[in-house]
Amino acid sequence: AKVAAAAALWFGFAHLMNYLLYASLFGGALTLLLLQFRQWPLPVSFAGQPWLARLHARETGIPYGIALAAAGLWLYPSTPWFHSLAV
């Protein structure tokens, strides 16, 4: 929630609804992908990676910060911040 609030302030009110829409879409896709990934057994060659084992564990949550960052990167080229740097 902190990242979403900070990104909303950074993008401004004009892009807030687009940011929230993209974050929801990316978050839904990430959730579906992780749920599918957790249904398969983790290959032995990847079992030694602690971050991948933690991501594969069913009792852990969904890292929604990834979806928030993806939405920010997707929306950034249409913001005034990007256009002021391009000039």
Coordinates of all heavy atoms in Angstrom, one line a residue:
A1 N 0.8 -1.2 0.0 CA 0.0 0.0 0.0 C 0.9 1.3 0.0 O 0.5 2.3 -0.6 CB -0.9 0.0 1.2
K2 N 2.0 1.2 0.6 CA 2.9 2.3 0.7 C 3.5 2.7 -0.7 O 3.6 3.8 -1.1 CB 4.0 2.1 1.7 CG 3.6 2.0 3.1 CD 4.8 1.6 4.0 CE 4.3 1.2 5.4 NZ 5.4 0.8 6.2
V3 N 3.8 1.6 -1.4 CA 4.4 1.9 -2.8 C 3.3 2.4 -3.7 O 3.5 3.3 -4.5 CB 5.0 0.5 -3.3 CG1 5.4 0.7 -4.8 CG2 6.1 0.1 -2.5
A4 N 2.1 1.9 -3.6 CA 1.0 2.4 -4.4 C 0.7 3.9 -4.1 O 0.4 4.7 -5.0 CB -0.3 1.6 -4.2
A5 N 0.7 4.2 -2.8 CA 0.4 5.6 -2.4 C 1.5 6.6 -2.9 O 1.3 7.6 -3.5 CB 0.3 5.7 -0.9
A6 N 2.8 6.1 -2.8 CA 3.9 7.0 -3.3 C 3.8 7.1 -4.8 O 4.1 8.2 -5.4 CB 5.2 6.3 -2.8
A7 N 3.6 6.0 -5.5 CA 3.5 6.1 -7.0 C 2.3 7.0 -7.4 O 2.4 7.7 -8.4 CB 3.4 4.7 -7.6
A8 N 1.2 6.9 -6.7 CA 0.1 7.7 -7.1 C 0.4 9.2 -6.9 O 0.0 10.0 -7.7 CB -1.1 7.3 -6.2
L9 N 1.1 9.6 -5.8 CA 1.5 10.9 -5.7 C 2.5 11.4 -6.7 O 2.5 12.5 -7.2 CB 2.1 11.1 -4.3 CG 1.2 11.1 -3.1 CD1 1.9 11.2 -1.8 CD2 0.2 12.3 -3.2
W10 N 3.4 10.5 -7.1 CA 4.4 10.8 -8.1 C 3.8 11.0 -9.5 O 4.2 11.9 -10.2 CB 5.4 9.7 -8.1 CG 6.6 9.9 -9.0 CD1 7.4 11.0 -9.0 CD2 7.1 9.0 -10.0 NE1 8.4 10.9 -9.9 CE2 8.3 9.6 -10.5 CE3 6.8 7.8 -10.4 CZ2 9.0 9.1 -11.5 CZ3 7.5 7.2 -11.4 CH2 8.6 7.8 -11.9
F11 N 2.8 10.1 -9.9 CA 2.2 10.2 -11.2 C 1.2 11.4 -11.2 O 1.0 11.9 -12.3 CB 1.5 8.9 -11.5 CG 2.4 7.8 -12.0 CD1 2.2 6.6 -11.5 CD2 3.4 8.1 -12.8 CE1 3.1 5.6 -11.9 CE2 4.3 7.1 -13.2 CZ 4.1 5.8 -12.7
G12 N 0.6 11.7 -10.1 CA -0.4 12.8 -10.1 C -1.8 12.2 -10.3 O -2.0 11.1 -10.7
F13 N -2.8 13.1 -10.0 CA -4.2 12.7 -10.0 C -4.6 12.3 -11.4 O -5.5 11.5 -11.6 CB -5.0 13.8 -9.4 CG -6.5 13.3 -9.2 CD1 -6.8 12.4 -8.2 CD2 -7.5 13.8 -10.0 CE1 -8.1 12.0 -8.0 CE2 -8.8 13.4 -9.9 CZ -9.1 12.5 -8.8
A14 N -4.1 12.9 -12.4 CA -4.5 12.7 -13.8 C -4.2 11.2 -14.3 O -5.0 10.7 -15.1 CB -3.8 13.6 -14.8
H15 N -3.2 10.6 -13.7 CA -2.9 9.2 -14.1 C -3.2 8.2 -13.0 O -2.9 7.0 -13.2 CB -1.4 9.2 -14.4 CG -1.0 10.0 -15.6 ND1 -1.2 9.7 -16.9 CD2 -0.3 11.2 -15.6 CE1 -0.8 10.6 -17.7 NE2 -0.2 11.6 -16.9
L16 N -3.9 8.6 -12.0 CA -4.1 7.7 -10.9 C -5.0 6.5 -11.2 O -4.7 5.4 -10.9 CB -4.8 8.5 -9.7 CG -5.1 7.7 -8.5 CD1 -3.9 7.1 -7.9 CD2 -5.9 8.5 -7.5
M17 N -6.1 6.8 -11.9 CA -7.0 5.7 -12.3 C -6.3 4.7 -13.3 O -6.5 3.5 -13.1 CB -8.3 6.2 -12.9 CG -9.1 7.0 -11.9 SD -9.5 6.0 -10.4 CE -10.5 4.7 -11.0
N18 N -5.5 5.2 -14.2 CA -4.8 4.4 -15.1 C -3.8 3.5 -14.3 O -3.6 2.3 -14.6 CB -4.1 5.2 -16.2 CG -5.0 5.7 -17.2 OD1 -6.2 5.3 -17.3 ND2 -4.6 6.8 -17.9
Y19 N -3.1 4.1 -13.4 CA -2.1 3.4 -12.6 C -2.8 2.3 -11.8 O -2.3 1.1 -11.8 CB -1.4 4.3 -11.7 CG -0.5 3.6 -10.7 CD1 0.7 3.0 -11.2 CD2 -0.8 3.5 -9.4 CE1 1.6 2.4 -10.3 CE2 0.1 2.8 -8.5 CZ 1.2 2.3 -9.0 OH 2.1 1.6 -8.1
L20 N -3.9 2.6 -11.2 CA -4.6 1.6 -10.4 C -5.2 0.5 -11.3 O -5.2 -0.7 -10.9 CB -5.7 2.2 -9.6 CG -5.3 3.2 -8.5 CD1 -6.5 3.8 -7.8 CD2 -4.4 2.5 -7.5
L21 N -5.6 0.8 -12.5 CA -6.1 -0.2 -13.4 C -5.0 -1.1 -13.8 O -5.2 -2.4 -13.8 CB -6.8 0.5 -14.6 CG -7.2 -0.5 -15.7 CD1 -8.4 -1.3 -15.3 CD2 -7.5 0.3 -17.0
Y22 N -3.9 -0.6 -14.2 CA -2.7 -1.4 -14.7 C -2.2 -2.3 -13.5 O -1.9 -3.4 -13.7 CB -1.6 -0.6 -15.2 CG -2.0 0.1 -16.6 CD1 -1.7 1.4 -16.9 CD2 -2.6 -0.7 -17.6 CE1 -2.0 1.9 -18.1 CE2 -2.9 -0.1 -18.8 CZ -2.6 1.2 -19.0 OH -2.9 1.7 -20.3
A23 N -2.2 -1.7 -12.3 CA -1.7 -2.4 -11.1 C -2.6 -3.6 -10.9 O -2.2 -4.7 -10.5 CB -1.6 -1.5 -9.9
S24 N -3.9 -3.4 -11.0 CA -4.9 -4.5 -10.8 C -4.7 -5.6 -11.9 O -4.8 -6.8 -11.5 CB -6.3 -4.0 -10.9 OG -6.5 -3.0 -9.8
L25 N -4.6 -5.2 -13.1 CA -4.4 -6.2 -14.2 C -3.1 -7.0 -14.0 O -3.1 -8.2 -14.1 CB -4.4 -5.5 -15.5 CG -5.8 -4.9 -15.9 CD1 -5.6 -4.1 -17.2 CD2 -6.8 -6.0 -16.1
F26 N -2.0 -6.3 -13.8 CA -0.7 -6.9 -13.6 C -0.7 -7.8 -12.3 O -0.2 -8.9 -12.3 CB 0.4 -5.9 -13.5 CG 0.8 -5.3 -14.8 CD1 1.0 -4.0 -14.9 CD2 1.0 -6.1 -15.9 CE1 1.3 -3.4 -16.1 CE2 1.3 -5.6 -17.2 CZ 1.5 -4.2 -17.3
G27 N -1.4 -7.3 -11.3 CA -1.5 -8.1 -10.0 C -2.3 -9.4 -10.2 O -2.0 -10.5 -9.7
G28 N -3.4 -9.3 -11.0 CA -4.2 -10.5 -11.3 C -3.5 -11.5 -12.1 O -3.5 -12.7 -11.9
A29 N -2.7 -11.0 -13.1 CA -1.9 -11.9 -14.0 C -0.8 -12.6 -13.1 O -0.6 -13.8 -13.3 CB -1.3 -11.1 -15.1
L30 N -0.2 -11.8 -12.3 CA 0.9 -12.3 -11.4 C 0.3 -13.4 -10.5 O 0.9 -14.4 -10.3 CB 1.5 -11.2 -10.6 CG 2.6 -11.6 -9.6 CD1 3.8 -12.2 -10.4 CD2 3.0 -10.5 -8.8
T31 N -0.8 -13.1 -9.9 CA -1.5 -14.1 -9.0 C -1.8 -15.4 -9.7 O -1.5 -16.5 -9.2 CB -2.7 -13.5 -8.4 OG1 -2.4 -12.3 -7.7 CG2 -3.4 -14.4 -7.4
L32 N -2.4 -15.3 -10.9 CA -2.7 -16.5 -11.6 C -1.5 -17.3 -12.0 O -1.4 -18.5 -11.9 CB -3.5 -16.1 -12.9 CG -4.9 -15.6 -12.6 CD1 -5.6 -15.2 -13.9 CD2 -5.8 -16.7 -11.9
L33 N -0.4 -16.6 -12.4 CA 0.8 -17.3 -12.8 C 1.5 -17.9 -11.6 O 1.9 -19.1 -11.7 CB 1.8 -16.3 -13.4 CG 1.5 -15.8 -14.8 CD1 2.5 -14.7 -15.2 CD2 1.7 -17.0 -15.8
L34 N 1.5 -17.3 -10.4 CA 2.0 -17.9 -9.3 C 1.2 -19.1 -8.7 O 1.8 -20.1 -8.3 CB 2.2 -16.9 -8.1 CG 3.5 -16.0 -8.2 CD1 3.5 -15.0 -7.1 CD2 4.7 -16.9 -8.2
L35 N -0.1 -19.0 -8.8 CA -0.9 -20.1 -8.4 C -0.7 -21.3 -9.3 O -0.6 -22.5 -8.8 CB -2.4 -19.7 -8.4 CG -2.8 -18.8 -7.3 CD1 -4.3 -18.4 -7.5 CD2 -2.6 -19.4 -5.9
Q36 N -0.5 -21.1 -10.6 CA -0.2 -22.2 -11.5 C 1.2 -22.7 -11.2 O 1.4 -23.9 -11.3 CB -0.3 -21.7 -13.0 CG -0.1 -22.8 -14.0 CD -1.2 -23.8 -13.9 OE1 -2.4 -23.5 -13.6 NE2 -0.9 -25.0 -14.1
F37 N 2.2 -21.8 -11.0 CA 3.5 -22.2 -10.7 C 3.6 -23.1 -9.5 O 4.4 -24.1 -9.4 CB 4.4 -21.0 -10.6 CG 5.8 -21.2 -10.1 CD1 6.7 -21.9 -10.9 CD2 6.2 -20.7 -8.9 CE1 8.0 -22.1 -10.4 CE2 7.5 -21.0 -8.4 CZ 8.4 -21.7 -9.2
R38 N 2.8 -22.8 -8.5 CA 2.8 -23.5 -7.2 C 2.1 -24.9 -7.3 O 2.3 -25.7 -6.4 CB 2.1 -22.7 -6.1 CG 3.0 -21.5 -5.7 CD 2.3 -20.6 -4.8 NE 3.2 -19.4 -4.4 CZ 2.8 -18.4 -3.7 NH1 1.6 -18.4 -3.2 NH2 3.7 -17.5 -3.5
Q39 N 1.4 -25.1 -8.4 CA 0.8 -26.4 -8.6 C 1.8 -27.5 -9.0 O 1.6 -28.7 -8.8 CB -0.3 -26.4 -9.6 CG -1.5 -25.5 -9.2 CD -2.2 -26.0 -7.9 OE1 -2.4 -27.2 -7.8 NE2 -2.5 -25.1 -7.0
W40 N 2.9 -27.0 -9.7 CA 3.9 -28.0 -10.2 C 4.9 -28.2 -9.2 O 5.2 -27.3 -8.4 CB 4.5 -27.4 -11.5 CG 3.6 -27.1 -12.6 CD1 2.5 -27.7 -12.9 CD2 3.8 -26.1 -13.6 NE1 1.9 -27.1 -14.0 CE2 2.7 -26.1 -14.4 CE3 4.8 -25.1 -13.8 CZ2 2.5 -25.3 -15.5 CZ3 4.6 -24.3 -14.9 CH2 3.5 -24.4 -15.7
P41 N 5.6 -29.4 -9.2 CA 6.7 -29.6 -8.3 C 7.9 -28.7 -8.7 O 8.1 -28.5 -9.9 CB 7.0 -31.1 -8.4 CG 6.4 -31.5 -9.6 CD 5.2 -30.6 -9.9
L42 N 8.6 -28.3 -7.7 CA 9.8 -27.5 -8.0 C 10.9 -28.4 -8.4 O 11.3 -29.4 -7.8 CB 10.2 -26.7 -6.7 CG 11.3 -25.6 -6.9 CD1 10.8 -24.5 -7.8 CD2 11.6 -25.0 -5.5
P43 N 11.5 -28.1 -9.6 CA 12.6 -29.0 -10.1 C 13.8 -29.0 -9.1 O 14.1 -28.0 -8.4 CB 13.1 -28.3 -11.4 CG 11.9 -27.5 -11.8 CD 11.2 -27.1 -10.6
V44 N 14.5 -30.1 -9.0 CA 15.6 -30.2 -8.0 C 16.7 -29.2 -8.3 O 17.3 -28.7 -7.4 CB 16.1 -31.7 -8.1 CG1 17.3 -31.9 -7.2 CG2 15.0 -32.7 -7.8
S45 N 16.9 -28.9 -9.6 CA 18.0 -28.0 -9.9 C 17.7 -26.6 -9.4 O 18.6 -25.8 -9.1 CB 18.2 -27.9 -11.4 OG 17.1 -27.6 -12.1
F46 N 16.4 -26.2 -9.2 CA 16.0 -24.9 -8.6 C 15.8 -24.9 -7.2 O 15.6 -23.9 -6.6 CB 14.8 -24.4 -9.3 CG 15.0 -24.1 -10.8 CD1 14.0 -24.6 -11.7 CD2 16.1 -23.5 -11.3 CE1 14.2 -24.3 -13.1 CE2 16.3 -23.2 -12.6 CZ 15.3 -23.7 -13.5
A47 N 15.8 -26.1 -6.5 CA 15.4 -26.2 -5.1 C 16.5 -25.5 -4.2 O 16.2 -25.1 -3.1 CB 15.3 -27.7 -4.7
G48 N 17.7 -25.4 -4.7 CA 18.8 -24.8 -4.0 C 18.7 -23.3 -3.9 O 19.4 -22.6 -3.1
Q49 N 17.8 -22.7 -4.7 CA 17.7 -21.2 -4.7 C 16.6 -20.8 -3.6 O 15.5 -21.1 -3.7 CB 17.2 -20.7 -6.0 CG 18.1 -21.0 -7.2 CD 19.4 -20.2 -7.1 OE1 19.4 -19.1 -6.6 NE2 20.5 -20.9 -7.5
P50 N 17.1 -20.1 -2.5 CA 16.1 -19.8 -1.4 C 15.0 -18.9 -1.9 O 13.8 -19.1 -1.4 CB 17.0 -19.2 -0.4 CG 18.4 -19.2 -0.8 CD 18.4 -19.7 -2.2
W51 N 15.2 -17.9 -2.7 CA 14.2 -17.0 -3.2 C 13.1 -17.7 -4.0 O 11.9 -17.4 -3.9 CB 14.8 -15.8 -3.9 CG 15.4 -16.2 -5.2 CD1 16.7 -16.6 -5.5 CD2 14.7 -16.2 -6.5 NE1 16.8 -16.8 -6.8 CE2 15.6 -16.6 -7.5 CE3 13.4 -15.9 -6.9 CZ2 15.3 -16.7 -8.8 CZ3 13.1 -16.1 -8.3 CH2 14.1 -16.5 -9.2
L52 N 13.6 -18.7 -4.8 CA 12.6 -19.5 -5.6 C 11.8 -20.4 -4.8 O 10.6 -20.6 -5.0 CB 13.4 -20.2 -6.7 CG 12.6 -20.7 -7.9 CD1 11.7 -19.6 -8.5 CD2 13.4 -21.3 -9.0
A53 N 12.5 -21.1 -3.8 CA 11.7 -21.9 -2.9 C 10.7 -21.2 -2.1 O 9.6 -21.7 -1.9 CB 12.7 -22.7 -2.0
R54 N 11.0 -20.0 -1.7 CA 10.1 -19.1 -0.9 C 8.9 -18.7 -1.8 O 7.8 -18.6 -1.4 CB 10.8 -17.9 -0.3 CG 10.0 -17.1 0.6 CD 10.8 -16.0 1.3 NE 11.5 -15.2 0.4 CZ 12.9 -15.1 0.2 NH1 13.6 -15.9 1.0 NH2 13.4 -14.3 -0.6
L55 N 9.2 -18.4 -3.1 CA 8.2 -18.0 -4.0 C 7.3 -19.2 -4.3 O 6.1 -19.0 -4.5 CB 8.8 -17.5 -5.3 CG 7.9 -16.8 -6.3 CD1 7.3 -15.6 -5.7 CD2 8.7 -16.5 -7.6
H56 N 7.8 -20.4 -4.3 CA 7.0 -21.6 -4.6 C 6.2 -22.1 -3.4 O 5.2 -22.8 -3.6 CB 8.0 -22.7 -5.1 CG 7.3 -23.9 -5.6 ND1 7.0 -25.0 -4.9 CD2 6.8 -24.1 -6.9 CE1 6.4 -25.9 -5.7 NE2 6.3 -25.4 -6.9
A57 N 6.6 -21.7 -2.2 CA 5.8 -22.2 -1.0 C 4.4 -21.6 -1.0 O 4.1 -20.5 -1.3 CB 6.6 -21.7 0.2
R58 N 3.5 -22.5 -0.8 CA 2.1 -22.2 -0.8 C 1.6 -21.3 0.3 O 0.6 -20.6 0.2 CB 1.2 -23.4 -0.9 CG 1.4 -24.2 -2.2 CD 0.5 -25.4 -2.3 NE 0.7 -26.0 -3.5 CZ 0.2 -27.2 -3.9 NH1 -0.6 -27.8 -3.0 NH2 0.4 -27.7 -5.0
E59 N 2.3 -21.4 1.4 CA 1.9 -20.6 2.6 C 2.4 -19.1 2.5 O 2.0 -18.3 3.4 CB 2.4 -21.2 3.9 CG 3.9 -21.6 4.0 CD 4.2 -22.9 3.4 OE1 3.3 -23.7 3.1 OE2 5.4 -23.1 3.2
T60 N 3.2 -18.8 1.6 CA 3.6 -17.4 1.4 C 2.6 -16.6 0.5 O 1.8 -17.2 -0.2 CB 5.0 -17.3 0.8 OG1 5.0 -17.9 -0.5 CG2 6.0 -18.0 1.6
G61 N 2.6 -15.3 0.6 CA 1.7 -14.5 -0.1 C 2.2 -14.2 -1.5 O 3.2 -14.8 -2.0
I62 N 1.5 -13.3 -2.2 CA 1.9 -12.9 -3.5 C 2.7 -11.6 -3.4 O 2.2 -10.6 -2.8 CB 0.6 -12.6 -4.4 CG1 -0.3 -13.9 -4.4 CG2 0.9 -12.2 -5.8 CD1 0.3 -15.1 -5.1
P63 N 3.8 -11.5 -4.0 CA 4.6 -10.3 -3.9 C 4.0 -9.2 -4.8 O 4.4 -9.0 -6.0 CB 6.0 -10.7 -4.4 CG 5.8 -11.9 -5.2 CD 4.6 -12.6 -4.7
Y64 N 3.1 -8.4 -4.3 CA 2.3 -7.5 -5.1 C 3.1 -6.3 -5.6 O 2.7 -5.5 -6.5 CB 1.0 -7.1 -4.4 CG -0.1 -6.7 -5.3 CD1 -0.8 -7.7 -5.9 CD2 -0.4 -5.4 -5.6 CE1 -1.9 -7.4 -6.8 CE2 -1.4 -5.1 -6.4 CZ -2.2 -6.1 -7.0 OH -3.2 -5.8 -7.9
G65 N 4.3 -6.1 -4.9 CA 5.1 -5.0 -5.3 C 5.6 -5.1 -6.7 O 5.9 -4.1 -7.4
I66 N 5.7 -6.3 -7.2 CA 6.1 -6.6 -8.6 C 5.1 -6.0 -9.5 O 5.4 -5.4 -10.5 CB 6.3 -8.1 -8.8 CG1 7.5 -8.6 -8.0 CG2 6.6 -8.4 -10.3 CD1 7.6 -10.1 -8.0
A67 N 3.8 -6.2 -9.2 CA 2.7 -5.7 -10.1 C 2.7 -4.2 -10.0 O 2.4 -3.5 -11.0 CB 1.4 -6.3 -9.6
L68 N 2.9 -3.6 -8.8 CA 2.9 -2.1 -8.7 C 4.0 -1.5 -9.5 O 3.9 -0.5 -10.2 CB 3.0 -1.7 -7.2 CG 1.8 -2.2 -6.4 CD1 2.1 -1.8 -4.9 CD2 0.5 -1.5 -6.8
A69 N 5.2 -2.1 -9.4 CA 6.3 -1.6 -10.2 C 6.1 -1.8 -11.7 O 6.4 -0.9 -12.5 CB 7.6 -2.4 -9.8
A70 N 5.5 -2.9 -12.1 CA 5.2 -3.1 -13.6 C 4.2 -2.1 -14.1 O 4.4 -1.5 -15.2 CB 4.7 -4.5 -13.8
A71 N 3.2 -1.8 -13.2 CA 2.3 -0.7 -13.6 C 2.9 0.6 -13.7 O 2.6 1.4 -14.6 CB 1.1 -0.7 -12.6
G72 N 3.8 0.9 -12.8 CA 4.5 2.2 -12.9 C 5.4 2.3 -14.1 O 5.4 3.4 -14.8
L73 N 6.1 1.3 -14.4 CA 6.9 1.3 -15.6 C 6.1 1.3 -16.9 O 6.5 2.0 -17.9 CB 7.8 0.0 -15.7 CG 8.9 0.0 -14.6 CD1 9.6 -1.3 -14.6 CD2 9.9 1.1 -14.9
W74 N 5.0 0.7 -16.9 CA 4.1 0.8 -18.1 C 3.5 2.2 -18.3 O 3.4 2.6 -19.4 CB 3.0 -0.2 -17.9 CG 2.1 -0.4 -19.1 CD1 0.9 0.2 -19.4 CD2 2.3 -1.3 -20.1 NE1 0.4 -0.2 -20.5 CE2 1.2 -1.2 -21.0 CE3 3.2 -2.3 -20.4 CZ2 1.1 -1.9 -22.2 CZ3 3.1 -3.0 -21.6 CH2 2.1 -2.8 -22.4
L75 N 3.2 2.8 -17.2 CA 2.5 4.1 -17.3 C 3.5 5.3 -17.4 O 3.2 6.4 -17.9 CB 1.7 4.3 -16.1 CG 0.7 5.5 -16.0 CD1 -0.3 5.4 -17.1 CD2 0.0 5.6 -14.7
Y76 N 4.8 5.1 -17.0 CA 5.7 6.2 -16.9 C 5.9 7.0 -18.3 O 6.0 8.2 -18.2 CB 7.1 5.7 -16.4 CG 8.1 6.7 -16.3 CD1 8.0 7.7 -15.3 CD2 9.2 6.7 -17.1 CE1 8.9 8.7 -15.2 CE2 10.2 7.7 -17.0 CZ 10.0 8.7 -16.0 OH 11.0 9.7 -15.9
P77 N 6.0 6.3 -19.4 CA 6.2 7.1 -20.7 C 5.1 8.1 -21.0 O 5.3 9.0 -21.8 CB 6.3 6.0 -21.8 CG 6.7 4.8 -21.0 CD 6.1 4.9 -19.7
S78 N 3.9 7.9 -20.4 CA 2.8 8.9 -20.7 C 2.7 10.0 -19.6 O 1.8 10.8 -19.7 CB 1.5 8.1 -20.8 OG 1.1 7.6 -19.5
T79 N 3.6 10.1 -18.7 CA 3.6 11.1 -17.7 C 4.3 12.4 -18.1 O 5.2 12.3 -18.9 CB 4.2 10.6 -16.4 OG1 5.6 10.3 -16.6 CG2 3.4 9.3 -15.9
P80 N 4.0 13.5 -17.4 CA 4.8 14.7 -17.7 C 6.2 14.6 -17.3 O 7.1 15.3 -17.8 CB 4.0 15.8 -16.8 CG 2.7 15.2 -16.5 CD 2.8 13.7 -16.6
W81 N 6.5 13.8 -16.3 CA 7.9 13.6 -15.9 C 8.8 13.1 -17.1 O 9.9 13.5 -17.3 CB 8.0 12.6 -14.7 CG 7.4 13.1 -13.5 CD1 6.2 12.8 -13.0 CD2 8.0 14.0 -12.5 NE1 6.0 13.4 -11.8 CE2 7.1 14.2 -11.5 CE3 9.2 14.6 -12.4 CZ2 7.3 15.0 -10.4 CZ3 9.5 15.4 -11.3 CH2 8.5 15.6 -10.4
F82 N 8.2 12.1 -17.8 CA 9.0 11.5 -18.9 C 9.1 12.5 -20.0 O 10.1 12.7 -20.7 CB 8.2 10.3 -19.4 CG 8.9 9.5 -20.5 CD1 10.0 8.7 -20.2 CD2 8.5 9.7 -21.8 CE1 10.7 8.0 -21.2 CE2 9.2 9.0 -22.8 CZ 10.3 8.2 -22.5
H83 N 8.0 13.3 -20.3 CA 8.0 14.2 -21.4 C 9.0 15.4 -21.1 O 9.6 16.0 -22.0 CB 6.6 14.7 -21.7 CG 5.8 13.7 -22.3 ND1 5.9 13.2 -23.5 CD2 4.7 13.0 -21.8 CE1 5.0 12.3 -23.8 NE2 4.3 12.1 -22.7
S84 N 9.1 15.8 -19.8 CA 10.0 16.9 -19.5 C 11.5 16.4 -19.6 O 12.4 17.2 -20.0 CB 9.8 17.4 -18.1 OG 10.1 16.4 -17.1
L85 N 11.8 15.1 -19.5 CA 13.1 14.6 -19.7 C 13.5 14.5 -21.1 O 14.6 14.5 -21.5 CB 13.3 13.3 -18.9 CG 13.3 13.4 -17.4 CD1 13.4 12.0 -16.8 CD2 14.4 14.2 -16.9
A86 N 12.5 14.2 -21.9 CA 12.7 14.0 -23.4 C 13.0 15.3 -24.1 O 13.5 15.2 -25.2 CB 11.5 13.3 -24.0
V87 N 12.6 16.4 -23.5 CA 12.8 17.7 -24.2 C 14.2 18.1 -24.2 O 15.2 18.0 -24.0 CB 12.0 18.8 -23.6 CG1 12.3 20.2 -24.1 CG2 10.5 18.5 -23.8

